[in-house]
């Protein structure tokens, strides 16, 4: 009887061992981490060599470091678009940035020309975004304001706090464990992991609320990264919705919504989808999080289109 139990115990052990070896060979232990844990370098530096897989892109920025949009001299309405690399248009070519596409879709929705002033730079955290908004609004009195949800942790040292904030240790280098974690996590998480956990979110929210006083202000809410977005299981983050500021958001659930090599930025197709839902909200639509239009059907290219 004892030999039978020992023999039965060897079988699952051997299966685990074989699975462990196979996963170590392909895809490898490191590949089983989530993008926000591994932070692997991109194949090339997009600002030095503007290539994203098969996609080549161009960019122009002004002296403030903001992307340049085509002028709209007869615009009847102005919108300041404040944010980080999602507003700047990281790995999106001229003419297809969020600001470019918002000018097109909002003009169509309102039936009149619209000027969009992009005020965003790669790597900006929430308080920097608020500063960009203040500066841009001072130069464009009467403009509407759109704040795009921040995606970067705060880098400015805070008295009495470690910076960068404490970060959990990576999971054990056991391929089977990491594989099961990747497989099961999207179905058991209460919410998507957030890159914002490291910033003083309360300060940022208060600053956005102050900017909202006395003018039309909107929030554009987005997923934080590709892995959780494409499961379609996560909606907007509660802290932003609870501000009480009019908002719109898109889930970016298709692979075509995202860059080819970068898990943290949208493609042309994803950017166009965001611009469409934002334009509809500014034009009088209701608050809401949507997965329509599909990035597979929007203007612009993306993986698989």
């Amino acid at each position: 009887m004892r030999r039978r139990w020992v023999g039965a115990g060897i079988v699952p052990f051997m299966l685990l061992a074989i699975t462990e070896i196979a996963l170590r060979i392909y895809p490898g232990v490191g590949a089983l981490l989530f993008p926000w844990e591994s932070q692997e370098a991109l194949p090339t530096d997009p600002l030095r060599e503007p290539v994203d897989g098969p996609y080549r892109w161009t960019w122009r920025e002004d002296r403030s470091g903001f992307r340049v949009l085509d002028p709209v001299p007869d615009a009847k309405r102005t919108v300041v678009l404040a944010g980080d690399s999602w507003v700047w248009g990281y790995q999106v070519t001229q003419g297809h940035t969020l600001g470019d596409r918002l000018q097109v879709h909002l003009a169509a929705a309102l039936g009149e020309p619209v000027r969009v002033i992009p005020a965003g730079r790669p790597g900006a955290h929430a308080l920097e975004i608020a500063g960009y908004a203040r500066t841009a609004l001072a130069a464009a009195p009467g403009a509407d304001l759109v704040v795009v949800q921040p995606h970067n942790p705060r880098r400015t040292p805070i008295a009495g706090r470690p910076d960068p904030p404490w970060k959990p240790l990576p999971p054990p280098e056991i391929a089977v464990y990491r594989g099961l974690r990747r497989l099961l996590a999207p179905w058991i998480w209460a919410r998507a992991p957030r890159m914002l956990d490291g910033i003083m979110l309360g300060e940022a929210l208060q600053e956005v609320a102050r900017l909202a006083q006395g003018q039309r202000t909107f929030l554009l809410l987005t997923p934080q990264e590709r892995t959780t977005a494409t499961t379609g299981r996560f909606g907007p983050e509660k802290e932003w919705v609870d501000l009480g500021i009019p908002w719109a958001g898109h889930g970016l659930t298709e692979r075509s919504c995202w860059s080819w090599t970068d898990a943290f930025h949208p493609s042309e197709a994803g950017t166009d989808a965001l611009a469409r839902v934002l334009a509809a909200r500014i034009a009088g639509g209701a608050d809401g999080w949507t997965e329509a239009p599909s990035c597979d059907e929007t203007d612009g290219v993306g993986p698989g289109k």
Side-chain angles (χ1 to χ4, degrees):
M1 180 67 70
R2 183 176 180 182
R3 289 180 181 177
R4 187 179 300 171
W5 279 107
V6 171
I10 291 176
V11 174
F13 175 81
M14 291 299 296
L15 288 174
L16 282 173
I18 292 169
T19 304
E20 178 73 20
I21 293 170
L23 289 174
R24 284 180 175 273
I25 295 172
Y26 183 82
V29 179
L32 294 170
L33 290 172
F34 291 103
W36 58 88
E37 293 174 325
S38 58
Q39 294 289 321
E40 293 179 3
L42 296 174
T44 60
D45 179 355
L47 296 182
R48 292 182 178 274
E49 186 178 353
V51 177
D52 174 26
Y55 176 72
R56 300 193 68 87
W57 59 289
T58 61
W59 54 277
R60 290 186 295 120
E61 61 183 17
D62 60 21
R63 287 181 294 181
S64 299
F66 303 145
R67 282 289 278 269
V68 175
L69 271 59
D70 291 336
V72 186
D74 54 347
K76 307 298 183 185
R77 189 166 179 174
T78 300
V79 176
V80 168
L81 187 62
D84 50 33
S85 52
W86 287 52
V87 167
W88 189 86
Y90 192 73
Q91 299 194 135
V92 176
T93 202
Q94 286 294 131
H96 289 272
T97 68
L98 183 59
D100 288 306
R101 302 311 297 160
L102 183 60
Q103 279 191 165
V104 171
H105 294 307
L106 187 54
L110 296 176
E112 61 182 26
V114 175
R115 176 194 180 202
V116 173
I117 301 175
R121 300 186 65 180
H125 57 66
L127 296 183
E128 289 173 328
I129 291 170
Y132 298 156
R134 274 197 309 273
T135 300
L137 288 170
D144 295 340
L145 171 65
V146 174
V147 177
V148 179
Q149 172 181 327
H151 301 86
N152 300 296
R154 180 172 174 169
R155 300 178 312 281
T156 306
I158 304 170
R161 291 174 179 257
D163 191 42
W166 178 82
K167 184 178 181 180
L169 294 174
E173 292 192 18
I174 302 172
V176 171
Y177 172 78
R178 291 188 179 186
L180 286 172
R181 185 169 164 264
R182 284 292 296 263
L183 180 66
L184 297 176
W187 302 100
I188 61 177
W189 279 329
R191 61 170 174 81
R194 295 189 308 155
M195 297 174 68
L196 285 180
D197 286 336
I199 72 168
M200 291 190 70
L201 190 56
E203 283 188 31
L205 297 180
Q206 291 171 13
E207 182 67 14
V208 171
R210 283 194 293 271
L211 290 170
Q213 300 302 314
Q215 62 195 61
R216 285 167 50 90
T217 300
F218 303 88
L219 292 172
L220 176 62
L221 306 184
T222 75
Q224 288 289 339
E225 47 75 41
R226 185 181 69 214
T227 301
T228 51
T230 51
T231 67
R233 289 176 53 82
F234 299 105
E237 293 171 325
K238 187 174 183 295
E239 291 92 338
W240 296 105
V241 175
D242 285 352
L243 274 177
I245 297 173
W247 64 276
H250 193 292
L252 302 180
T253 52
E254 291 87 27
R255 179 64 183 89
S256 59
C257 298
W258 298 87
S259 297
W260 276 262
T261 60
D262 183 350
F264 298 100
H265 292 94
S267 63
E268 286 183 12
T271 296
D272 191 69
L274 291 169
R276 288 173 185 265
V277 299
L278 178 56
R281 180 63 190 90
I282 295 174
D287 293 351
W289 180 265
T290 181
E291 296 176 9
S294 163
C295 294
D296 293 339
E297 300 171 352
T298 56
D299 296 333
V301 299
K305 288 190 70 175

